[in-house]
Amino acid sequence: MQQQFLHHAIALNYEHCTDYKHAFAHFSASKQAISQHIKYDAKTHRKFCEQLIALSNDYKPRTSDSDFTPLFVVGMPRSGTTLLEKIINQATQVQGVGELNDIAQLCQDSHAQVLNNAVLNGVYKNTALTAQLNQYQQRINQLVTADLRSCDKQPFNFYYIDLILAAFPKAKIICMQRGKEASCIANYRQLYSPASAFHHYSYKLQDIDSFYQDYSDLITHFATKHPANVMIMQYETLVSEPITSTQQLYDFCDLPWQAQCLDFYQQHSPSATASKVQVRQPLNSKRVITGSITRLHFNV
């Protein structure tokens, strides 16, 4: 663990000095210090996602008549989900609730710590699931001021899109998507806790690449299946065409567009994510260019 932190700190220092060759070498050393203790199989995750899509294709639940209209921001880590959350939370009709784990816990009935094939089969066959998910609405009602809509930014809720929409058919889910190379490098240079099983894909570049493709396949499937409820927002388009993109975003969420949504960086609300620096800056093309320069120097 100490080697992981040490090499990561050295890598950040080299990166600050624009010595990207040595930075990448130490990012790699940081990952290697932990990767041997992490049990992640990209092929297993690929089969899991294929099974999820197959189950989804056959899934015909009794849809709830709930009028609950929550907003969900999901996405692969380091794809811009925090940025998107801040933009949505600028709406006067919305109140953010952070990253809640309730959906995963309710879907897995709090018994399974890992979402695997067996658990997935059970979740999709659970006829009482819609009723179980009503507990999520009760939690939101306790957190959010009356008449405001909630915005939940738990990135990994993309696994549960079918189930969320079965319980809350008026929910809106925005899937953040970032360019492949930028996403992979951003995940590789990020210091994640080994205790988080959701981030075990991030210790080898080839595993990150595979996870990215799995995520892309899943959100493409769900957006095609639920076009009125699921939207894919491209990070690069959001930062290069902010007005058009945010207008489309607000329209999709059934929110009146407000120019102040682009002033998110002026808000002083706390951010504990890896994007805490970026969300203090306005939208501009430098967000894309900087990532490209880093990628070229890493030569990956």
Side-chain angles (χ1 to χ4, degrees):
M1 182 72 74
Q2 291 181 344
Q3 289 295 310
Q4 179 194 19
F5 286 106
L6 175 62
H7 282 292
H8 186 80
I10 294 173
L12 292 177
N13 185 63
Y14 275 122
E15 189 177 61
H16 179 72
C17 297
T18 68
D19 185 342
Y20 298 105
K21 180 179 179 180
H22 284 96
F24 184 75
H26 282 280
F27 279 129
S28 297
S30 175
K31 295 293 185 179
Q32 290 168 6
I34 295 296
S35 62
Q36 58 185 321
H37 304 293
I38 297 297
K39 295 181 179 180
Y40 181 80
D41 187 339
K43 291 182 179 179
T44 298
H45 187 263
R46 174 64 52 82
K47 291 180 179 178
F48 169 81
C49 292
E50 291 172 348
Q51 180 186 1
L52 175 52
I53 292 174
L55 287 169
S56 176
N57 284 329
D58 295 332
Y59 189 51
K60 296 180 177 62
R62 175 181 291 181
T63 304
S64 165
D65 58 359
S66 172
D67 288 327
F68 186 43
T69 58
L71 302 171
F72 294 90
V73 174
V74 304
M76 183 172 176
R78 310 302 296 129
S79 64
T81 53
T82 301
L83 172 65
L84 191 65
E85 174 201 29
K86 295 293 183 182
I87 291 173
I88 293 175
N89 287 350
Q90 285 291 97
T92 55
Q93 300 87 352
V94 175
Q95 182 176 336
V97 295
E99 299 182 13
L100 300 181
N101 294 320
D102 297 52
I103 294 294
Q105 291 172 352
L106 290 169
C107 285
Q108 296 170 219
D109 203 18
S110 301
H111 298 311
Q113 297 299 316
V114 178
L115 183 61
N116 55 31
N117 288 13
V119 173
L120 186 65
N121 273 316
V123 168
Y124 268 84
K125 293 177 181 178
N126 184 359
T127 57
L129 183 60
T130 297
Q132 288 175 207
L133 285 174
N134 284 336
Q135 296 179 48
Y136 177 81
Q137 182 176 352
Q138 295 170 14
R139 171 87 184 280
I140 293 299
N141 289 340
Q142 295 174 346
L143 297 174
V144 176
T145 303
D147 299 326
L148 293 184
R149 298 172 66 185
S150 61
C151 179
D152 184 343
K153 197 221 81 170
Q154 170 48 258
F156 294 99
N157 274 338
F158 62 79
Y159 289 120
Y160 310 100
I161 289 178
D162 270 341
L163 312 171
I164 291 171
L165 293 177
F168 313 122
K170 294 186 179 180
K172 298 290 185 176
I173 303 172
I174 305 94
C175 306
M176 199 66 187
Q177 178 78 308
R178 189 178 179 185
K180 181 178 180 179
E181 292 182 345
S183 277
C184 290
I185 289 298
N187 273 271
Y188 195 63
R189 65 177 298 283
Q190 187 59 43
L191 184 67
Y192 293 119
S193 169
S196 173
F198 278 116
H199 294 98
H200 283 180
Y201 69 87
S202 68
Y203 292 89
K204 296 179 182 178
L205 274 171
Q206 59 267 38
D207 288 344
I208 300 173
D209 180 272
S210 180
F211 187 92
Y212 180 93
Q213 189 58 55
D214 293 343
Y215 169 70
S216 298
D217 291 345
L218 283 179
I219 62 171
T220 298
H221 164 76
F222 287 125
T224 301
K225 180 179 178 180
H226 306 287
N229 300 88
V230 180
M231 174 187 189
I232 298 176
M233 172 63 72
Q234 191 68 35
Y235 174 85
E236 288 77 8
T237 303
L238 175 62
V239 300
S240 62
E241 302 174 21
I243 294 178
T244 300
S245 295
T246 55
Q247 286 175 337
Q248 292 174 345
L249 171 66
Y250 270 53
D251 182 63
F252 173 77
C253 294
D254 298 319
L255 295 169
W257 185 78
Q258 300 161 301
Q260 71 183 43
C261 75
L262 297 175
D263 297 331
F264 64 90
Y265 62 95
Q266 296 179 354
Q267 301 301 311
H268 298 292
S269 56
S271 177
T273 75
S275 305
K276 55 185 176 291
V277 175
Q278 290 90 330
V279 296
R280 304 294 185 225
Q281 303 169 357
L283 291 179
N284 57 65
S285 59
K286 290 181 180 179
R287 291 172 176 268
V288 177
I289 294 172
T290 300
S292 299
I293 291 174
T294 301
R295 185 168 64 251
L296 288 171
H297 280 285
F298 276 168
N299 193 30
V300 177

